Amino acid sequence: MSISKNFTRAGVVLAASALVLTACGGNGDNGGDAGTAEGESAAVAGGGTISVYNCEPQHLVPGNSTEVCGSKVLQQLFTGLVELDYDTYEVIPGVAESWDTEDSQTWTFTLGEDWTFQNGEEITAQTFVDTFNWVVNPENTQQSANFFDNVVGYDAVINEETDELEGLRAVDEYTLEIELAEPFAPFPQMLTYTAFYPMPSEAFEDIEAFEQAPIGNGRYQIDGSWEHDVQIAADRWEDFPGENPGLPERIEWRIYSDIDTAYMDVQAGNLDILDQTPPNRLTQIEADFGENSATFDTGSFTYLGLPLYQEEFQDEDVRHALSMAIDRQAVIDAIFDGAQTPATNIIPPMLPEAQDGICEWCEYNPEEAADLYEAAGGPSELTVWFNSGAGHEQWVEAVANQWRQNLGIEEVKFESLEFAQYLELHDNEEITGPFRLGWTLSYPSAQYAMEPIYTTGQSSNYTGFSNEEFDALIEEANAADPETSIELYQQAEEILLNEMPVLPMWFSNYTTVHSDRIDNGSLLMDQGTFLRLEQIVVTED
């Protein structure tokens, strides 16, 4: 099998122009009012400034950022080897102009020769070799180091037997070769993740200083430094060498500790964009914002996991009954004003592998659920677990009430903890009942929707699920060509939906609200629930 991606610059420019034309209502530059229809607001000349809600990031180093607050900033400051076309989710050139492989195991990337960091340092194949080795080095304690675990030599570096990944090679100045331990066809998709962004040499000299004012190679360049608990500001980098330069001239991520305050600030015109409206405000949106809102389907998957290491959940009929006893739509309507999509699958709907309505046990059937639960000897008492402070209390209690009513469960208790403590209990297999967790696609792949949380021994497999056939299908799909892999991933998903280590609940719909300055038609949210700020059009007041 040979996979090769080569792109002509003219073809990429054509696609970029189409995107800008759509966003600007007929105007192909970064501002002005040419082509604006009567009654429509004109785009601000130069692109304008947008202010966006954000939470306080944990980190602003690409290899150490594993949460949305930091990653949404890093996506604008850096460009990796490849990027995504967010309309099709196809991989397109970033720093790499083309890439190819004969076996999905050894990958060769040909880099563009005009890429630099914002401090003028040239980006070469060695830049990526140095960055990836630094991220994996255990002395640097980067949280995303495990994303490199399929690169040849990873174990030797982690075990401190060597300082460099054997599978990374700068063949020449602009040719990078990456050898994997086993075939992995979704590798280009994985490379769009923040962990794989390049870093300049001065980052390695003083990473603490670098984190406060990251020097990237992306569409935007940080202005000053990270003002903790206040804001992070970035200006459009006018020397960006890639395609699709940013439209807004400036982005200001305003940091809030209370999302309700951010909602009211957008309403008052003090903030331009809130990317996710809190559940308690959903019924007010039309009255508060009128047409200044947009709702997006996302790949953010919410589920109730079952600890299979506990004896009372090892019978799959108990798991089936718990699932059938939940009226998902009723919970969504009552708690979220209908603003979620009930999950009848595990692979998110925006991916080509998605199969709609294939979960037999996700259909609400309280009578059959009660019979099945009784016959299987389901527990009469449950403790339901969830992380606190994130708005899960109401819907978890609503599900518990349905279990009481439909399954005759006598007592349901609740345990909630801060997220860090919550994950520690999962790591130690100390969860004793159904538990709430979610999963968001860091990159758009059916592999990432399943392998990290259901294959045997994975660190995020908190249910303890283990199935040899499922593991084998994932391994086979990972090595297959894209067309063959679709059916294999679907077969793996069907095993999950039959054995049901988790009860699928819903895919989140994110409702964004914005000020009058934002062109509603230019808003786009990606699979990771990030608004694509680089393409937002600011209009004249």
Side-chain angles (χ1 to χ4, degrees), residues 61-95:
V61 175
N64 212 22
S65 180
T66 59
E67 40 76 39
V68 298
C69 311
S71 294
K72 64 177 63 173
V73 176
L74 293 171
Q75 282 194 345
Q76 299 298 335
L77 302 182
F78 290 85
T79 298
L81 284 165
V82 293
E83 296 190 302
L84 286 173
D85 178 330
Y86 291 103
D87 289 323
T88 64
Y89 288 112
E90 292 183 353
V91 179
I92 60 175
V95 176

Side-chain angles (χ1 to χ4, degrees), residues 146-197:
N146 62 343
F147 275 86
F148 296 82
D149 63 359
N150 197 24
V151 178
V152 170
Y154 174 83
D155 289 339
V157 175
I158 292 299
N159 294 329
E160 300 185 5
E161 298 168 8
T162 182
D163 294 333
E164 298 182 351
L165 291 163
E166 182 184 345
L168 285 182
R169 292 180 283 274
V171 178
D172 57 39
E173 194 170 10
Y174 299 109
T175 305
L176 174 68
E177 189 173 87
I178 304 178
E179 182 183 356
L180 306 181
E182 57 188 25
F184 187 63
F187 190 54
Q189 285 92 333
M190 176 184 276
L191 288 174
T192 64
Y193 186 53
T194 54
F196 298 95
Y197 292 157

Side-chain angles (χ1 to χ4, degrees), residues 6-21:
N6 292 282
F7 298 82
T8 65
R9 182 166 295 273
V12 176
V13 170
L14 181 61
S17 299
L19 175 63
V20 173
L21 284 168

Side-chain angles (χ1 to χ4, degrees), residues 240 314 383 475:
F240 178 66
Q314 291 175 0
T383 300
E475 183 176 355

Side-chain angles (χ1 to χ4, degrees), residues 94-106:
V95 176
E97 292 183 337
S98 64
W99 53 96
D100 62 77
T101 181
E102 293 293 330
D103 54 8
S104 292
Q105 188 164 354
T106 300

